[in-house]
Amino acid sequence: MVDLLRQTERLQPGLNEAMHAVVASGAFIQGPEVKLFAAELTAHEGVKHVVPCANGTDALQLAFMALGLKPGDEVLVPVFTYVATAEVIALLGLTPVLVDVDPETFLLQPEAVEAAVTPRTKAVVPVHLFGQCAPMEGLLRVAERFNLFVVEDAAQAIGATYTFADGHTAQAGTMGHIGCTSFFPSKNLGCFGDGGALFTQHDDLAALLQQMANHGQKVKYYHDTVGVNSRLDTLQAAVLRLKLPHLRDFAARRQAVAAAYDAAFSGNDRLKIPVRVAQSTHVFHQYTLLLQGVDRAAFQAALQERGVPTMVYYPVPLHLQKAYARPEYPVGTFPVAEHLAQNVVSLPIHTEMEADEIQYIIHTVHQTLSQISFA
Ligand SMILES: *Cc1c(COP(=O)(O)O)cnc(C)c1O
């Protein structure tokens, strides 16, 4: 699905040199690379503050801690997402309220969010799923009308650009009160382990996030708030500093793969190619097809046999997960998410794919489709 080793090799010897420099310095925690990376990412994203942390899930947790939400407060979350989005909400004693997604884009829609607002709703989490921005203009308008905090989950969309009606643009994760991203190795900007960051335009939130990510202390051994230990390792910051200048190229490489898949599959009525949000660029963390009348398991097995891996993101929507099931969410509550969970399939996409590999995948998908029986 992703070829991390080839990308690493292509960026050598720089990566090894950067890591060896950290090892030689001995400054493994809060070394100078961490601040340098934060400053470089701040400039790259056009956001006022970047607060690095240990992973994307922690970024989401820190966001809700800093916003001061209280147990019982409701947070609106798309039901079709990676579990981390809802996990931290539940962990903090807040109530994740699930909202179905758009059948075309798989993203949260302003109308659906508005319909789910109650007097207890305090925040909404647009997830920029698979690499393109949710319809932020409408979502921000609903959030403003109902006085909701907006926490963007940009773990899959770092580098995606959203264009507002007045023509101004913003990067994924920089439009809400707080944006969260992940540097998990397979993410679009990946390090060599876990890593994450928070984005915000608000000085007070940035200071609080920084403090909460480091045991609630501004001054060492003076703890003003309850915090957590969630710091980006110096080694990871060094790796990320080296990769950040390549982020636009990484996106272009993924977009080229997506364009080849689009051209090959757009005429096929059994495969629905990813629908683009007009206002957003797509950085293709995943290239996800919606199968129409195809036995997905048979399709995947046949592709696997011919050496083409596929994955299902995500096979079970949140309301059907044991940990998040609730009596008010029986099967059938979120028909779009349930349909997607049964019919989506993602093809390999990464920065190092060669033309012959792309052609082999395309050829094999066509061949497989013409051979398997249809559900
Ligand atoms: C990866 C991911 C996260 C969590 O990031 P980690 O760094 O793995 O903790 C959160 N939300 C989404 C949508 C993700 O894809």
Side-chain angles (χ1 to χ4, degrees):
M1 294 298 290
V2 226
D3 196 325
L4 298 174
L5 290 184
R6 262 193 278 173
Q7 189 191 73
T8 302
E9 267 162 35
R10 184 162 62 82
L11 302 180
Q12 292 295 23
L15 285 165
N16 279 351
E17 286 166 3
M19 288 190 295
H20 282 137
V22 175
V23 172
S25 79
F28 296 111
I29 302 290
Q30 310 281 53
E33 303 284 335
V34 178
K35 272 212 172 74
L36 291 167
F37 170 63
E40 287 156 6
L41 189 57
T42 300
H44 190 277
E45 296 296 298
V47 67
K48 201 155 176 210
H49 302 280
V50 170
V51 178
C53 65
N55 57 69
T57 308
D58 277 6
L60 287 158
Q61 180 177 334
L62 286 160
F64 292 109
M65 287 170 63
L67 292 173
L69 300 194
K70 300 278 173 314
D73 286 349
E74 294 178 356
V75 181
L76 302 176
V77 181
V79 63
F80 187 65
T81 181
Y82 182 55
V83 68
T85 318
E87 188 175 35
V88 299
I89 296 167
L91 200 63
L92 292 172
L94 312 174
T95 305
V97 172
L98 306 177
V99 180
D100 212 350
V101 295
D102 180 69
E104 299 286 320
T105 62
F106 317 156
L107 300 165
L108 207 54
Q109 296 301 305
E111 302 74 23
V113 166
E114 181 164 357
V117 170
T118 76
R120 290 177 302 283
T121 311
K122 293 288 152 49
V124 56
V125 189
V127 178
H128 304 315
L129 198 71
F130 300 152
Q132 64 181 341
C133 295
M136 288 304 291
E137 185 143 23
L139 290 169
L140 289 169
R141 208 175 296 129
V142 172
E144 199 175 341
R145 173 137 26 99
F146 295 99
N147 208 14
L148 310 179
F149 291 117
V150 177
V151 176
E152 295 174 70
D153 183 342
Q156 301 187 358
I158 190 165
T161 307
Y162 186 87
T163 304
F164 288 84
D166 68 1
H168 89 275
T169 62
Q171 296 299 104
T174 68
M175 295 171 268
H177 295 85
I178 300 177
C180 302
T181 201
S182 163
F183 306 123
F184 186 84
S186 62
K187 295 283 156 81
N188 286 35
L189 180 62
C191 60
F192 291 168
D194 279 309
L198 295 125
F199 303 141
T200 185
Q201 307 282 14
H202 303 276
D203 299 346
D204 49 344
L205 281 176
L208 198 52
L209 289 167
Q210 189 83 58
Q211 177 180 315
M212 284 180 157
N214 191 23
H215 298 294
Q217 60 190 355
K218 263 200 300 276
V219 179
K220 208 171 165 78
Y221 304 125
Y222 291 81
H223 306 275
D224 300 343
T225 53
V226 174
V228 294
N229 175 2
S230 185
R231 299 171 298 223
L232 181 68
D233 288 343
T234 313
L235 274 168
Q236 303 302 351
V239 168
L240 290 164
R241 284 192 73 200
L242 217 118
K243 284 198 182 189
L244 181 60
H246 297 274
L247 185 57
R248 282 193 188 94
D249 176 58
F250 289 167
R253 286 163 175 260
R254 289 171 176 272
Q255 285 157 353
V257 179
Y261 285 160
D262 275 355
F265 304 137
S266 60
N268 194 314
D269 58 9
R270 302 204 176 271
L271 304 176
K272 189 164 173 198
I273 64 171
V275 174
R276 312 297 202 276
V277 173
Q279 295 79 11
S280 178
T281 62
H282 199 321
V283 295
F284 285 99
H285 177 61
Q286 298 299 344
Y287 185 90
T288 301
L289 293 165
L290 185 59
L291 299 178
Q292 312 196 105
V294 177
D295 178 340
R296 184 175 65 185
F299 180 63
Q300 289 190 277
L303 285 173
Q304 186 64 56
E305 221 161 79
R306 296 167 169 125
V308 174
T310 56
M311 286 292 280
V312 172
Y313 306 106
Y314 296 93
V316 183
L318 288 179
H319 70 297
L320 303 181
Q321 299 282 0
K322 280 190 194 144
Y324 300 94
R326 273 194 251 148
E328 62 268 38
Y329 294 150
V331 176
T333 309
F334 302 107
V336 176
E338 291 172 29
H339 179 77
L340 297 179
Q342 282 169 14
N343 293 285
V344 290
V345 66
S346 300
L347 296 180
I349 192 162
H350 56 83
T351 59
E352 312 303 309
M353 280 173 82
E354 305 280 354
D356 59 334
E357 295 171 309
I358 300 169
Q359 285 318 310
Y360 178 75
I361 292 168
I362 288 171
H363 170 77
T364 310
V365 166
H366 279 141
Q367 197 185 43
T368 303
L369 266 186
S370 68
Q371 286 167 2
I372 62 167
S373 61
F374 296 109

